[in-house]
Amino acid sequence: MKKFGIDNPFFAFMGRVGDILILNILFVITSIPVVTIGMSLSAMYRVTLRMARKECNYVAKEYFRACREEWKKSTVIWLIMLMSGGVLVFDVTVGKDMWNALNAAVGALIFIWGMLFTYVFAVQARFENTVKNIFKNALYMAVRHFPFTVIMMVLNAIPAVCILFGSMTMALATPIYVAAGFTVTARINSIFLNRIFRKYAPEEEEAEDANRATA
C-alpha cells in the first residue's frame, strides 16, 4: 500500500504540477491591469525561488503575501522598465532605416534592457534594497554571471519570438502560457538564480526568509 501514499513520487510530481498551474493562473489574473505586472513578477519569483529551494508549502498564500509586501517597490520598477522599453521600441520603429551605428547602439541598449528584466524582479523578490540599488545589483549580477544570463534571456524571449513568427505560432503558444508557461519559465530561471543569489546572501538570511514565509 505504500506506493499509494502521499509520499509516492507520482503524487509528489502531480502536486508540483498543480502548484505550477495555480501559480500561473494567479500570475495571469493579477497581471491583467498591466500596471500590476511588476508586482505579479516579483511575487511569482518569490514563490518559484522558494520552490527551487524546496521551501514553498502554500502557493496561493505565499503569492498573495508577496503581492502585499512587494507591490509598491515592484510597481515603481515595472513602470521604469515599461517606459524605458517603450522608448527603445519607438527608437527601433522610427530609426530602422537610419544610420547603422545608431541602430547598433539601440540594439545594445535593448540587450541591456533584457539583462535587467531577467534579474530585476527576482532580485527585488529576494533582497531588501532601494530601487536604485536593485537595478545596480541586477545589472552587476547579469554581467558577472553572463552565461546564465543568456540562457534565462532566451527562455524569457520565447513569447516574443512566438509573436514575431506570426499569428499561428502565437495562437499555439497562448494557451500554453496562459496555463503554465510563465511559471515554468520562472521556475527554470529560479534554479539558476538561486545558485547566483547564494553567492550574495548568507545562509542565515535564507533560513530567516523560510521562517517568515511559513509563519
Side-chain angles (χ1 to χ4, degrees), residues 146-164:
F146 190 71
F148 288 149
T149 300
V150 172
I151 295 171
M152 291 187 287
M153 286 178 68
V154 170
L155 292 173
N156 291 341
I158 291 175
V161 172
C162 291
I163 293 172
L164 291 175

Side-chain angles (χ1 to χ4, degrees), residues 13-50:
F13 172 76
M14 292 307 296
R16 290 193 291 270
V17 171
D19 287 343
I20 287 173
L21 293 174
I22 291 169
L23 182 57
N24 200 84
I25 291 170
L26 292 175
F27 171 78
V28 171
I29 292 173
T30 56
S31 296
I32 290 173
V34 180
V35 73
T36 59
I37 289 176
M39 175 197 73
S40 301
L41 283 167
S42 291
M44 179 173 63
Y45 266 112
R46 184 194 284 193
V47 176
T48 57
L49 286 166
R50 288 178 52 74

Side-chain angles (χ1 to χ4, degrees), residues 18 26 32 36 75 77-78 86 97 114 118 125 127 134 138 167 173 175 187 197:
L26 292 175
I32 290 173
T36 59
T75 299
I77 293 171
W78 166 241
D97 297 323
T118 298
F127 300 99
I134 287 169
S167 58
R187 179 64 179 82
F197 291 166

Side-chain angles (χ1 to χ4, degrees), residues 117-144:
F117 184 86
T118 298
Y119 281 83
V120 70
F121 295 104
V123 172
Q124 158 64 17
R126 183 64 186 87
F127 300 99
E128 182 63 33
N129 216 323
T130 64
V131 171
K132 178 182 177 181
N133 284 336
I134 287 169
F135 275 103
K136 288 173 61 177
N137 292 337
L139 184 58
Y140 173 78
M141 293 179 191
V143 173
R144 183 177 179 186

Side-chain angles (χ1 to χ4, degrees), residues 64-215:
F64 285 119
R65 179 174 182 174
C67 286
R68 290 194 303 270
E69 296 176 353
E70 306 286 353
W71 74 270
K72 289 184 180 179
K73 200 174 293 183
S74 58
T75 299
V76 172
I77 293 171
W78 166 241
L79 291 176
I80 293 171
M81 295 299 295
L82 182 62
M83 288 186 291
S84 59
V87 170
L88 291 172
V89 170
F90 176 80
D91 288 342
V92 170
T93 303
V94 173
K96 59 184 178 181
D97 297 323
M98 296 177 65
W99 186 36
N100 288 337
L102 179 61
N103 289 332
V106 172
L109 290 174
I110 291 173
F111 189 82
I112 294 171
W113 187 95
M115 292 170 66
L116 279 171
F117 184 86
T118 298
Y119 281 83
V120 70
F121 295 104
V123 172
Q124 158 64 17
R126 183 64 186 87
F127 300 99
E128 182 63 33
N129 216 323
T130 64
V131 171
K132 178 182 177 181
N133 284 336
I134 287 169
F135 275 103
K136 288 173 61 177
N137 292 337
L139 184 58
Y140 173 78
M141 293 179 191
V143 173
R144 183 177 179 186
H145 306 280
F146 190 71
F148 288 149
T149 300
V150 172
I151 295 171
M152 291 187 287
M153 286 178 68
V154 170
L155 292 173
N156 291 341
I158 291 175
V161 172
C162 291
I163 293 172
L164 291 175
F165 268 83
S167 58
M168 180 62 70
T169 307
M170 184 178 174
L172 292 172
T174 296
I176 296 173
Y177 275 88
V178 169
F182 296 110
T183 298
V184 169
T185 301
R187 179 64 179 82
I188 296 171
N189 286 348
S190 293
I191 298 172
F192 303 118
L193 290 165
N194 271 326
R195 291 184 60 181
I196 293 167
F197 291 166
R198 276 198 296 267
K199 300 178 184 295
Y200 306 96
E203 292 182 3
E204 59 267 27
E205 185 178 334
E206 293 193 3
E208 290 176 5
D209 186 54
N211 291 334
R212 284 198 304 270
T214 55

Side-chain angles (χ1 to χ4, degrees), residues 43 46-47 50-51 55-67 213-214:
R46 184 194 284 193
V47 176
R50 288 178 52 74
M51 281 181 174
E55 296 173 356
C56 182
N57 297 314
Y58 304 102
V59 168
K61 179 181 177 181
E62 294 184 22
Y63 182 84
F64 285 119
R65 179 174 182 174
C67 286
T214 55

